[in-house]
Amino acid sequence: MDLKQIESILRNSGSANNLVLKKEIEILKSKAIDRQDEELANKLWCLENINEIQFLFISAFNNLKKKEYYKAWSDFSYIDIKLCYFREHSENYYTDSDEYGLLFIEEYSRKFQKLFPYKYFLSRESIIKKQRCSVCGTEITIRKKCKHSVGELYMGEMCVRIVSELQFLAIALVRDPFDKYAVIFPQDLEYNYGALEELLNLLETPYEKWGLTVIKRIGEKFVDARRNGLCPCGSEKKYKKCCKNTQKELIDHYAIKLNQNKGNNSILRYKEFGTWK
């Protein structure tokens, strides 16, 4: 398999076997490195990442279908991270024409993530004691550097810092970390995945287009609350002096629109649902 064949397969947004294609790319990249062809090796690094991003998107969708929600969340989170580093080196692949589906994957990964009930995450506070360059292996210190820059490509490999010694200082509770794997799962809390379940009932493939609108509406427990009665939030204050006419009584309500082609007919399916009671 040559470069053009691999590019052609990837333009079909992951229709090929990911592992087979990964092996073919590795073979070509190894040959490019042996010839010291850095331009080709770096191009194959891009194709390697496109292949993995496409695979992760399909994997996330399949995990949602199986109700493996945290696995799907982890797939989407990894897509975010890979795209973040990939953009700087993808001028020929991350284009407006979206031949490789990367813009679609980025947009819809974020849409899917909005429907997850995860709001808080753990984030570590730490001091790096020892680290080295992934390209040349040089140990990096304040006074000692190497010629490689983090995030740049060198013969088909992105330069990163490999941490070998780390001192943990604290764990912080945050809302929007870069690394979103550390989801909090309190012992007595069961997350509500109803929004995702409703959406997955409408979708047949990961590459269907759908629209998402978020509307703020009064939560069900506040609908019949009396002005002078106790606030449904449990504060033991009067409703009028607590949550009434504030953001506290509002919940996200989602409206999804999905165009589906059935034969020669285009069917618009529309669904509204809230995330929490």
Side-chain angles (χ1 to χ4, degrees):
M1 192 177 293
D2 61 22
L3 182 67
K4 289 186 177 179
Q5 288 175 311
I6 291 172
E7 288 178 330
S8 177
I9 292 169
L10 289 173
R11 288 190 186 100
N12 292 321
S13 299
S15 61
N17 184 303
N18 168 265
L19 295 178
V20 171
L21 201 57
K22 180 180 179 181
K23 187 65 177 178
E24 292 291 334
I25 295 171
E26 287 175 351
I27 292 171
L28 287 183
K29 191 167 78 167
S30 178
K31 291 178 179 179
I33 292 170
D34 289 342
R35 298 195 304 269
Q36 291 296 292
D37 188 341
E38 187 168 41
E39 182 179 354
L40 178 57
N42 291 346
K43 184 177 288 188
L44 288 162
W45 177 90
C46 289
L47 296 178
E48 207 168 35
N49 278 270
I50 291 171
N51 184 41
E52 187 166 5
I53 289 166
Q54 291 178 352
F55 172 77
L56 284 167
F57 187 64
I58 295 170
S59 172
F61 182 81
N62 290 336
N63 280 324
L64 286 175
K65 284 288 190 181
K66 292 185 291 186
K67 298 186 178 182
E68 296 280 357
Y69 296 112
Y70 179 70
K71 287 183 180 180
W73 175 264
S74 297
D75 288 335
F76 288 130
S77 298
Y78 196 25
I79 287 171
D80 277 347
I81 292 171
K82 292 195 74 67
L83 285 173
C84 179
Y85 290 113
F86 179 72
R87 286 190 198 92
E88 296 181 18
H89 309 285
S90 58
E91 61 274 3
N92 295 323
Y93 301 104
Y94 207 95
T95 61
D96 291 339
S97 61
D98 202 26
E99 289 182 292
Y100 296 89
L102 298 175
L103 293 175
F104 181 95
I105 290 172
E106 181 176 37
E107 177 186 354
Y108 282 86
S109 291
R110 290 176 178 173
K111 282 185 179 181
F112 276 116
Q113 284 179 309
K114 286 182 180 179
L115 297 180
F116 278 83
Y118 308 147
K119 302 300 178 185
Y120 294 97
F121 308 86
L122 294 178
S123 179
R124 71 174 182 270
E125 296 178 12
S126 57
I127 297 175
I128 294 173
K129 294 287 190 176
K130 287 185 180 181
Q131 59 180 334
R132 59 184 173 85
C133 172
S134 64
V135 177
C136 65
T138 299
E139 187 172 324
I140 307 299
T141 66
I142 295 176
R143 295 181 178 85
K144 187 179 180 181
K145 308 292 182 184
C146 69
K147 64 180 181 180
H148 304 111
S149 300
V150 173
E152 291 300 316
L153 294 181
Y154 299 93
M155 201 61 71
E157 180 182 351
M158 177 179 281
C159 177
V160 297
R161 295 291 181 254
I162 299 174
V163 177
S164 57
E165 188 175 332
L166 189 73
Q167 178 184 349
F168 280 96
L169 299 177
I171 297 291
L173 187 66
V174 296
R175 287 186 63 91
D176 191 26
F178 176 71
D179 182 345
K180 296 181 180 177
Y181 290 108
V183 178
I184 297 174
F185 290 95
Q187 186 174 357
D188 297 324
L189 174 65
E190 184 176 344
Y191 283 116
N192 183 348
Y193 298 100
L196 286 165
E197 290 175 356
E198 292 284 358
L199 173 61
L200 268 294
N201 286 335
L202 300 176
L203 298 179
E204 296 175 3
T205 74
Y207 286 98
E208 290 182 74
K209 292 184 177 181
W210 49 277
L212 176 66
T213 303
V214 183
I215 307 163
K216 292 289 186 180
R217 292 190 178 174
I218 294 179
E220 186 175 304
K221 66 182 180 181
F222 293 99
V223 171
D224 297 321
R226 296 185 178 183
R227 177 181 173 83
N228 290 308
L230 291 177
C231 186
C233 76
S235 66
E236 298 187 357
K237 298 179 182 178
K238 287 188 176 182
Y239 177 44
K240 66 180 180 181
K241 293 184 178 181
C242 191
C243 293
K244 184 173 175 58
N245 297 326
T246 70
Q247 291 292 318
K248 296 178 182 178
E249 67 176 354
L250 302 179
I251 64 166
D252 288 341
H253 191 86
Y254 296 109
I256 286 179
K257 290 183 179 179
L258 174 67
N259 278 305
Q260 290 183 313
N261 293 316
K262 301 293 185 182
N264 295 321
N265 300 317
S266 180
I267 302 172
L268 178 65
R269 302 183 68 180
Y270 183 76
K271 185 81 175 180
E272 283 194 10
F273 49 89
T275 52
W276 298 285
K277 296 292 185 182

